[in-house]
Amino acid sequence: MVRRCLHTRVQQALAEVPAVCLVGPRQAGKTTLALAIAVERESVYLDLESPQDRAKLQDAETYLERHQDKLVILDELHRMPELLPLLRSQIDRGRRSGRPVRQYLLLGSASLGLLRHVGEALTGRVRILELTPFFVLEPHGAPLEQLWLRGGFPESLLAANDGQSFRWRYDFLRAYLERELPLFTSARLPVETLWRLWTMLAHRQGAPYNAAELARSLGLDVRTVNRYVNTFVDLFLLRRLQPWYENVGKRLVKAPRLYLRDSGLLHALLGIRSLEDLLAHPIAGASWEGWVIENIAASAPKGTGLYFYRTSAGAEIDLLLLLPTGTRWAVEIKRSLAPHPSRGFHLACDDVKAERRWLIYPGQEQYPTSGSVEVVALRRFCEYVSQAVR
């Protein structure tokens, strides 16, 4: 059992609000984390994908009344969103009675629909936290290169060997395409077409999103491509990195960039089975950039905005962080042991008035370089950004 970084934040949230909603992709470890919290207090756990547990909630109000003094954990809540008004009623009834506030830990694998329902039904009563797969600051014990190659899903990262890890990721992708996607979209594309779409997105890791180009290549209409891309984002499998722009008087690139969020899934789609294969593959640079971005996103304080910045003249910031304090950190990402910030990075930092300038590379030392840019290892930078608002 690896203690997740989010464990303490969930405990703290449960001490402050009556309901905590834990979201994230399937197999990231939400249930494991919830059960670890359950052993610390009197709890009841219900898996809403289990017919047996769903049957217990045929008279949900009576069942929840019987467990009013326990932490109630509802897994895969998006299967029964109709429970949310009842939870609100139960929470408010407990508050009015003067008894200890009833507590709920809600788990879900789809973001947009679940968050909308939770936000509408439990406004002022819930805190939403996202559990990502493993990232660099967690004590998983795997070398960083293994984390990059295999990705952060526990079953993949901690597999006995690279072959077993690859097979798990391949099966995971097939299961999502065959069984999960039909639950979240009304479109019904053949699995092989969806696999082609996934593979095309993998080959375009970090590239500007061009729905028309993807639609032409697949023989689909643009609305269908957009619908599936939105669903992949909703399922925490794809990141849509938005451009940052203000009235800076320049022609800016405004198409978002798409990244497969888990590097291991990216590599499985491209048939990359070993670190040697990865280092020799043309995708290595884009893969490393996306992996760095995901680790920073997982480490950053809640409320941090993540963007990229690029002008038509070539001024570019790979990742612009807008911290909750209003501070702007500009990040350039280079997979080189002798990195140098580009002229375009300096120009872009001047454009956005970045307070801190960083260059993340795969080495271990930290040192300053030209233009007040600090060269730093990924793990150290993630430590810095995680403490940025303390």
Side-chain angles (χ1 to χ4, degrees):
M1 172 62 188
V2 179
R3 184 180 175 89
R4 304 300 302 270
C5 287
L6 206 62
H7 191 121
T8 301
R9 289 180 60 192
V10 174
Q11 290 175 315
Q12 179 182 1
L14 287 171
E16 296 174 353
V17 292
V20 174
C21 183
L22 190 60
V23 296
R26 280 187 174 276
Q27 301 296 317
K30 297 186 299 298
T31 301
T32 302
L33 174 56
L35 293 177
I37 291 171
V39 302
E40 301 169 356
R41 61 181 72 194
E42 192 173 6
S43 307
V44 57
Y45 170 83
L46 295 173
D47 180 359
L48 300 186
E49 289 191 328
S50 163
Q52 182 178 358
D53 284 353
R54 289 171 65 93
K56 296 176 183 178
L57 294 173
Q58 287 183 347
D59 185 356
E61 184 171 4
T62 301
Y63 181 87
L64 294 175
E65 283 289 344
R66 290 175 53 198
H67 298 285
Q68 59 181 317
D69 298 324
K70 301 175 183 177
L71 171 65
V72 177
I73 302 171
L74 299 175
D75 203 346
E76 301 297 345
L77 181 64
H78 58 274
R79 304 289 188 181
M80 295 183 68
E82 64 271 18
L83 288 175
L84 289 168
L86 175 60
L87 301 186
R88 178 184 60 194
S89 173
Q90 296 267 326
I91 290 169
D92 292 347
R93 191 182 309 165
R95 284 173 167 174
R96 289 193 297 268
S97 69
R99 294 178 298 184
V101 176
R102 304 178 186 190
Q103 291 194 306
Y104 300 94
L105 180 55
L106 316 174
L107 314 182
S109 301
S111 61
L112 187 59
L114 178 61
L115 295 183
R116 183 176 63 250
H117 288 304
V118 169
E120 292 172 354
L122 300 179
T123 302
R125 306 166 181 85
V126 64
R127 183 170 303 167
I128 299 171
L129 301 173
E130 180 183 344
L131 181 70
T132 68
F134 284 129
F135 62 103
V136 294
L137 295 185
E138 296 191 292
H140 45 70
L144 289 187
E145 288 186 337
Q146 181 172 307
L147 180 60
W148 176 31
L149 171 67
R150 299 184 180 184
F153 285 96
E155 293 286 342
S156 173
L157 178 63
L158 305 178
N161 53 62
D162 288 346
Q164 180 178 327
S165 170
F166 181 88
R167 289 187 293 273
W168 183 90
R169 283 176 275 136
Y170 190 90
D171 292 342
F172 175 86
L173 285 165
R174 296 293 300 195
Y176 247 105
L177 297 182
E178 294 173 2
R179 296 194 292 274
E180 293 300 317
L181 278 180
L183 300 175
F184 296 101
T185 178
S186 58
R188 293 292 184 270
L189 292 180
V191 171
E192 294 310 315
T193 302
L194 290 172
W195 190 268
R196 285 178 58 206
L197 173 57
W198 263 116
T199 304
M200 292 175 69
L201 292 172
H203 281 288
R204 289 164 171 76
Q205 177 81 340
Y209 177 45
N210 188 327
E213 180 183 350
L214 289 169
R216 284 195 301 269
S217 300
L218 293 166
L220 303 173
D221 63 83
V222 172
R223 288 183 300 176
T224 299
V225 171
N226 283 331
R227 185 183 303 117
Y228 273 95
V229 166
N230 290 338
T231 302
F232 294 153
V233 173
D234 190 34
L235 293 172
F236 303 96
L237 299 176
L238 193 66
R239 177 174 297 278
R240 188 161 36 209
L241 189 65
Q242 297 290 350
W244 182 88
Y245 53 89
E246 288 182 346
N247 185 20
V248 295
K250 297 179 181 293
R251 295 180 60 189
L252 304 178
V253 174
K254 295 185 178 181
R257 292 179 176 177
L258 294 185
Y259 293 89
L260 270 71
R261 293 186 59 170
D262 185 75
S263 59
L265 298 184
L266 170 70
H267 301 153
L269 284 164
L270 299 176
I272 298 171
R273 298 171 178 266
S274 68
L275 184 61
E276 290 75 16
D277 293 341
L278 174 56
L279 295 176
H281 199 284
I283 204 68
S287 168
W288 200 75
E289 178 180 307
W291 180 67
V292 168
I293 290 172
E294 283 307 309
N295 278 277
I296 294 172
S299 306
K302 187 176 178 62
T304 300
L306 280 74
Y307 306 90
F308 76 92
Y309 176 83
R310 182 176 175 84
T311 70
S312 59
E316 181 173 9
I317 296 171
D318 294 327
L319 183 65
L320 178 64
L321 299 175
L322 271 61
L323 297 170
T325 56
T327 305
R328 298 173 184 175
W329 286 11
V331 178
E332 185 162 24
I333 303 168
K334 288 187 177 294
R335 200 179 64 85
S336 167
L337 292 177
H340 297 283
S342 65
R343 180 173 179 272
F345 179 67
H346 290 303
L347 294 173
C349 289
D350 293 338
D351 287 346
V352 305
K353 299 178 174 59
E355 286 88 350
R356 298 292 301 273
R357 306 180 182 191
W358 305 87
L359 194 160
I360 297 177
Y361 79 127
Q364 297 302 317
E365 297 183 11
Q366 179 174 342
Y367 57 90
T369 187
S370 61
S372 303
V373 177
E374 192 78 9
V375 179
V376 63
L378 174 61
R379 188 194 298 274
R380 180 63 58 84
F381 180 82
C382 288
E383 291 172 351
Y384 290 150
V385 76
S386 69
Q387 301 170 10
V389 297
R390 295 182 183 177

